[in-house]
């Protein structure tokens, strides 16, 4: 049963009122005497042992706190289910909402929002992955390519002889984001980063097979059809082995400079009909860097590595790129990259040509 404040106060007063002074000068108090007096004052049906236990508890509380009332509970009060349901609804309707905005809109403290979202709703923040935009017309072309790949190139012996190519620009100065970059100091150092009016950069063309890579080919001018043929393709084919020219395939993306009639005819002299490209059969699907080994693996890895330290000259930049290739693109690594390629082809088919990165 529950006891009122009046009843608990009576218990304490009765307990001490019935105390007696013994022969040694010590006060002796009787729980039984307090119990009997309580039952006279409050004649209710109650188990005597239960009442005696309550008397001891109330007296101990009074001795410890000077009060018969329970102390305030420690910690913060529990969040009501109504608040939890409101926050759940708001997050389900707008999952990109920040906790700061959630707090502002709901009127619930930020710390409470954080606690509810993480511990009660079991939600966690996940980064958004940036992917190439696809058009609806791209889906069947990606599916067609992936079916062709599985039928013709899902063979390590062929992949050992086939090259997948691409190019990327590397800037000398890298990139400084003034919104994220900070210098900690007791006073403002008024630091600034000088950038040239026209950024110094170098283009890199690279081709990889399952067993080796072609030495990177550098360029600084925008690639047109003639430069692509004379400065890149000529250099590339002169590094090929006889068995690669005889049985391997060559892939390039659909850049205009790559797919002119002259350049496709040039490639046919060496590869016959084993060219994977826009305006070729098999066709390379547009907007598909997620299927290109150099895009989904090598170039990003390369940039993360070479920009760890400041680079001062274009010669140093090109040297770092070359050294990266020689030190990292060994046969074992390339085999792993092409196993990744096969997995991506299978997932692309599973998703009917749409984005599949969330399944990797």
């Amino acid at each position: 049963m529950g006891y009122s404040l009046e009843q608990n106060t009576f218990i304490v007063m009765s307990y001490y009122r019935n105390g007696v002074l013994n022969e040694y000068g010590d006060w002796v108090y009787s729980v039984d005497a307090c119990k009997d007096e309580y039952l006279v004052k409050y004649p209710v049906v109650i188990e005597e042992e239960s009442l005696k236990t309550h008397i001891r508890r109330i007296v101990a509380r009074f001795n410890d706190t000077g009060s018969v009332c329970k102390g305030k509970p420690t910690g913060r009060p529990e969040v009501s289910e109504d608040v939890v349901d409101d926050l759940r609804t708001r997050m389900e309707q707008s999952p990109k909402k920040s906790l700061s905005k959630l707090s502002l809109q709901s009127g619930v403290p930020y710390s409470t929002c954080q606690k509810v979202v993480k511990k009660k709703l079991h939600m966690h923040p996940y980064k958004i992955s940036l992917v190439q935009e696809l058009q609806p017309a791209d889906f069947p072309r990606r599916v067609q390519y992936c079916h062709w790949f599985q039928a013709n190139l899902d063979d390590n012996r062929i992949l050992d002889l086939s090259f997948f190519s691409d190019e990327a620009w590397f800037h000398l100065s890298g990139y400084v984001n003034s919104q994220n970059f900070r210098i900690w100091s007791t006073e403002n150092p008024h630091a600034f980063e000088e950038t040239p009016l026209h950024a110094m950069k170098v283009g890199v063309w690279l081709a990889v097979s399952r067993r080796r890579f072609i030495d990177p080919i550098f360029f600084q001018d925008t690639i047109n059809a003639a430069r692509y043929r004379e400065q890149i393709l000529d250099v590339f084919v002169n590094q090929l082995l006889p068995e690669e020219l005889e049985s391997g395939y060559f892939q390039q993306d659909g850049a205009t400079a790559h797919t002119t009639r002259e350049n496709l005819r040039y490639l046919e002299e060496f590869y016959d009909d084993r060219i994977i490209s826009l305006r070729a059969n098999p066709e390379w699907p547009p907007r598909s860097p997620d299927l290109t080994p150099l895009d989904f693996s090598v170039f990003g890895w390369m940039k993360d590595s070479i920009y760890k330290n400041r680079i001062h000259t274009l010669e140093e930049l090109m040297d770092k790129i070359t050294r990266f290739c020689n030190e990292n693109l060994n046969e074992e690594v390339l085999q792993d990259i092409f196993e990744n390629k096969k997995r991506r082809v299978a997932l692309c088919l599973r998703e009917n040509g749409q984005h599949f990165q969330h399944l990797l």
Side-chain angles (χ1 to χ4, degrees):
M1 61 169 290
Y3 295 85
S4 66
L5 176 61
E6 177 189 322
Q7 290 171 322
N8 286 335
T9 302
F10 177 85
I11 287 173
V12 172
M13 294 177 64
S14 172
Y15 181 81
Y16 286 108
R17 182 171 55 245
N18 287 293
V20 295
L21 192 64
N22 66 16
E23 59 186 10
Y24 302 107
D26 297 324
W27 284 97
V28 178
Y29 303 98
S30 171
V31 171
D32 287 323
C34 178
K35 176 204 67 174
D36 294 340
E37 193 168 276
Y38 178 88
L39 292 175
V40 172
K41 175 72 173 176
Y42 302 100
V44 295
V45 178
I46 185 172
E47 184 181 1
E48 292 191 1
E49 287 302 318
S50 175
L51 175 58
K52 290 165 68 173
T53 299
H54 180 70
I55 291 171
R56 294 187 185 97
R57 183 165 55 245
I58 290 300
V59 170
R61 182 187 299 167
F62 179 79
N63 289 336
D64 290 340
T65 67
S67 172
V68 297
C69 298
K70 288 184 179 180
K72 292 183 178 180
T74 58
R76 297 182 178 181
E78 190 68 19
V79 181
S80 71
E81 286 301 317
D82 288 342
V83 171
V84 174
D85 290 340
D86 178 56
L87 296 182
R88 178 187 290 110
T89 300
R90 292 175 184 273
M91 291 305 291
E92 288 176 350
Q93 291 176 347
S94 181
K96 295 181 181 179
K97 190 193 306 290
S98 68
L99 291 180
S100 298
K101 194 168 186 178
L102 178 65
S103 174
L104 182 65
Q105 292 177 347
S106 65
V108 177
Y110 177 90
S111 58
T112 303
C113 289
Q114 186 179 47
K115 176 183 176 182
V116 169
V117 168
K118 290 186 175 182
K119 295 187 177 180
K120 289 187 176 291
L121 303 183
H122 305 292
M123 293 180 174
H124 305 281
Y126 295 97
K127 291 183 178 179
I128 296 176
S129 298
L130 299 179
V131 296
Q132 174 71 51
E133 180 185 14
L134 293 174
Q135 304 295 333
D138 297 334
F139 303 154
R141 298 166 80 177
R142 284 161 59 87
V143 168
Q144 182 179 13
Y145 164 76
C146 290
H147 278 307
W148 178 88
F149 179 92
Q150 288 190 334
N152 295 274
L153 287 187
D154 198 6
D155 182 332
N156 291 339
R157 292 171 300 177
I158 301 299
L159 289 176
D160 283 347
L161 304 175
S162 300
F163 284 92
F164 289 74
S165 69
D166 205 355
E167 61 265 354
W169 287 101
F170 285 74
H171 293 258
L172 181 61
S173 58
Y175 176 68
V176 175
N177 185 338
S178 61
Q179 299 303 316
N180 296 331
F181 188 77
R182 296 289 184 269
I183 297 176
W184 289 89
S185 175
T186 56
E187 296 181 1
N188 188 348
H190 300 289
F192 58 87
E193 183 82 10
E194 287 188 335
T195 59
L197 179 61
H198 302 289
M200 298 179 68
K201 60 183 180 180
V202 63
V204 180
W205 186 91
L206 197 60
V208 294
S209 72
R210 187 176 173 274
R211 68 176 178 178
R212 74 186 189 103
F213 67 92
I214 298 297
D215 290 338
I217 300 172
F218 298 102
F219 56 90
Q220 291 182 266
D221 297 319
T222 301
I223 291 295
N224 57 28
R227 291 191 183 114
Y228 181 61
R229 183 173 60 256
E230 296 166 3
Q231 299 178 17
I232 293 177
L233 293 181
D234 275 349
V235 178
F236 165 65
V237 296
N238 285 326
Q239 297 185 58
L240 295 177
L241 303 174
E243 62 268 26
E244 293 168 340
L245 285 169
E246 181 181 347
S247 303
Y249 285 77
F250 173 72
Q251 178 272 336
Q252 62 179 8
D253 65 24
T256 302
H258 299 175
T259 58
T260 60
R261 290 190 181 91
E262 293 80 4
N263 285 345
L264 288 176
R265 280 199 296 265
Y266 177 86
L267 286 169
E268 287 171 359
E269 293 177 15
F270 301 96
Y271 279 100
D272 195 23
D273 61 351
R274 289 170 285 111
I275 303 168
I276 309 167
S277 171
L278 187 66
R279 299 178 183 170
N281 185 20
E283 179 192 54
W284 177 254
R287 290 175 286 276
S288 296
D290 52 348
L291 297 173
T292 310
L294 289 163
D295 276 322
F296 69 67
S297 177
V298 177
F299 282 144
W301 175 23
M302 184 185 295
K303 289 182 178 182
D304 287 342
S305 176
I306 67 173
Y307 286 128
K308 285 182 179 178
N309 299 308
R310 183 72 176 268
I311 302 173
H312 300 89
T313 65
L314 289 179
E315 289 72 20
E316 182 184 354
L317 176 58
M318 290 187 286
D319 179 65
K320 279 181 173 286
I321 292 170
T322 302
R323 283 194 288 113
F324 173 89
C325 294
N326 291 328
E327 293 172 3
N328 294 284
L329 299 184
N330 55 58
E331 187 170 353
E332 182 179 358
V333 169
L334 291 171
Q335 289 174 358
D336 289 340
I337 290 173
F338 276 86
E339 288 304 309
N340 190 354
K341 161 82 172 178
K342 293 178 185 178
R343 186 162 61 252
R344 286 168 176 265
V345 166
L347 290 175
C348 186
L349 286 173
R350 171 178 164 181
E351 296 301 299
N352 294 316
Q354 300 187 46
H355 290 299
F356 55 81
Q357 286 84 346
H358 58 290
L359 300 175
L360 291 170

